[in-house]
Amino acid sequence: MALSKRKKRLILLLYALSAALLTTIVVVLMVVLINQQNDFRHTFISRCEGFEGYDCKKLWKVFQQAYVGKSACKVPVEAYDPLLAEAPIQPACNRMMFWSRSKQVVHDFTEKTDCFITLEDTLLGSVLDGLSWCGKENSKETFTNNCPGWDECENNPVRSFWKKASAEYAHAACGGVTAMLNGSISPPYNSSSIFASVEVPRLNSTRVNSLTVVLVTQENSVSNCTNGSFEVLQKDLDEGIKYKCKEVALSWLQKCGSKPNPTCGPCW
Ligand SMILES: *[C@@H]1O[C@H](CO)[C@@H](O)[C@H](O)[C@H]1NC(C)=O
Ligand SMILES: *[C@@H]1O[C@H](CO)[C@@H](O)[C@H](O)[C@H]1NC(C)=O
Ligand SMILES: *[C@@H]1O[C@H](CO)[C@@H](O)[C@H](O)[C@H]1NC(C)=O
Ligand SMILES: *[C@@H]1O[C@H](CO)[C@@H](O)[C@H](O)[C@H]1NC(C)=O
Ligand SMILES: *[C@@H]1O[C@H](CO)[C@@H](O)[C@H](O)[C@H]1NC(C)=O
């Protein structure tokens, strides 16, 4: 059965249209991929340039070498050794704040008072805070979508970076250090947290003389300073580091932190 001329033309037109559509889709996908990569690079460099005295383009290169071309679950902590060697964590004695399960509250507090710093205030911590990234085998690209989640695999690029940076942050700590923990969870000191597994074991009594736990409490709090997990914390601490625990109500923290406090007098 021969097709009429009109039908043939229609079929040809449909072929041409679908080819055009396919090409458009491929081009759009490529543009999205390139933009993803450029947006991430741009964020990295522009955040980095907020700090003085660093070669941000070089840091970007060294950073990429940790994960580019690797499968997203095969980036070990050591992959970031060169990056941390290029931009070591600067110690700030008596001002270093640690946190676990209290990120928002800690940063609201430290931003307002300007008396403490957290890892996210250091160059690398600030550059990578809130970002997600990974590479792929046989690819030179940086991806920001569909990267493994924090708990999806142990050696993912984001988790390994934070473990390395946290280790260096704790290693650099000196004087009196403070840790804000969450009284609404149990146990507040959890051995599988970065704070317990990476940071506490690296506080060295030759440099750190005290650790003050600020346990932030709310109406729904379940834990206080007598919680058994704090006995584990004291065992984990290097001998010679004095330990203190203070229960501080969130409402008080917010009130105290919002007042001008030029001398950095304590809120606890
Ligand atoms: C403690 O954890 C709970 C549950 O994740 C959260 O809702 C609360 O805001 C946290 N408290 C602080 C002080 O961060
Ligand atoms: C400690 O934290 C991990 C990860 O958030 C969680 O899965 C685990 O249940 C916690 N441990 C305890 C004893 O609650
Ligand atoms: C603390 O530092 C000293 C000297 O640098 C070292 O010998 C010691 O092993 C360190 N202790 C811990 C707990 O890291
Ligand atoms: C601390 O919590 C325990 C229950 O975990 C409770 O028995 C105790 O009274 C609390 N202590 C204070 C000082 O609130
Ligand atoms: C306190 O710490 C212990 C761990 O020693 C834990 O099993 C317990 O559930 C914690 N929480 C409360 C609210 O007592």
Side-chain angles (χ1 to χ4, degrees):
M1 196 179 72
L3 288 168
S4 72
K5 241 185 182 172
R6 249 186 94 166
K7 267 194 184 154
K8 271 192 197 155
R9 261 200 221 138
L10 198 65
I11 289 173
L12 235 79
L13 188 67
L14 281 177
Y15 269 124
L17 274 178
S18 32
L21 191 67
L22 204 69
T23 315
T24 313
I25 290 175
V26 168
V27 168
V28 165
L29 279 179
M30 275 169 69
V31 168
V32 164
L33 183 69
I34 290 167
N35 274 346
Q36 227 188 77
Q37 161 129 328
N38 283 345
D39 280 353
F40 187 83
R41 180 179 182 278
H42 181 257
T43 305
F44 186 104
I45 305 256
S46 66
R47 284 186 184 180
C48 172
E49 281 171 349
F51 290 75
E52 267 167 39
Y54 293 92
D55 181 346
C56 294
K57 297 214 168 83
K58 180 165 188 205
L59 274 185
W60 166 251
K61 280 210 175 104
V62 178
F63 167 68
Q64 278 185 302
Q65 279 160 14
Y67 64 88
V68 158
K70 294 181 193 169
S71 142
C73 280
K74 289 187 181 159
V75 178
V77 174
E78 303 78 52
Y80 291 98
D81 288 358
L83 179 64
L84 272 291
E86 191 65 35
I89 305 275
Q90 305 294 334
C93 295
N94 302 315
R95 280 163 44 85
M96 292 171 92
M97 173 74 84
F98 294 80
W99 59 267
S100 185
R101 300 281 300 267
S102 59
K103 184 175 183 183
Q104 189 65 47
V105 169
V106 150
H107 289 144
D108 287 348
F109 180 78
T110 56
E111 266 164 41
K112 272 188 272 178
T113 56
D114 204 26
C115 294
F116 292 95
I117 66 154
T118 63
L119 176 55
E120 294 72 29
D121 296 309
T122 66
L123 169 78
L124 289 175
S126 146
V127 164
L128 293 164
D129 190 19
L131 302 184
S132 168
W133 65 91
C134 59
K136 239 182 219 162
E137 265 176 309
N138 306 316
S139 163
K140 288 183 190 147
E141 316 287 321
T142 295
F143 300 88
T144 56
N145 289 331
N146 304 319
C147 292
W150 183 266
D151 287 320
E152 230 169 291
C153 52
E154 178 73 26
N155 284 331
N156 74 64
V158 174
R159 185 167 169 155
S160 290
F161 165 75
W162 288 108
K163 281 171 88 171
K164 174 67 187 176
S166 301
E168 292 298 310
Y169 184 73
H171 186 74
C174 47
V177 301
T178 312
M180 245 184 225
L181 303 182
N182 189 329
S184 305
I185 57 173
S186 173
Y189 180 74
N190 181 333
S191 58
S192 66
S193 67
I194 294 247
F195 177 60
S197 64
V198 174
E199 295 177 326
V200 166
R202 285 180 176 77
L203 298 175
N204 193 312
S205 64
T206 61
R207 293 180 296 275
V208 174
N209 50 46
S210 70
L211 166 69
T212 304
V213 168
V214 173
L215 187 64
V216 183
T217 60
Q218 281 171 272
E219 288 79 50
N220 64 355
S221 279
V222 290
S223 302
N224 57 35
C225 282
T226 68
N227 185 275
S229 68
F230 292 125
E231 279 157 39
V232 179
L233 167 54
Q234 290 172 72
K235 287 203 194 87
D236 290 346
L237 264 187
D238 195 10
E239 210 174 319
I241 299 180
K242 269 194 251 119
Y243 161 84
K244 264 184 290 187
C245 179
K246 300 260 178 85
E247 289 157 24
V248 180
L250 176 62
S251 55
W252 165 245
L253 202 63
Q254 286 165 338
K255 222 187 283 164
C256 176
S258 62
K259 277 190 278 188
N261 188 358
T263 61
C264 288
C267 283
W268 44 82

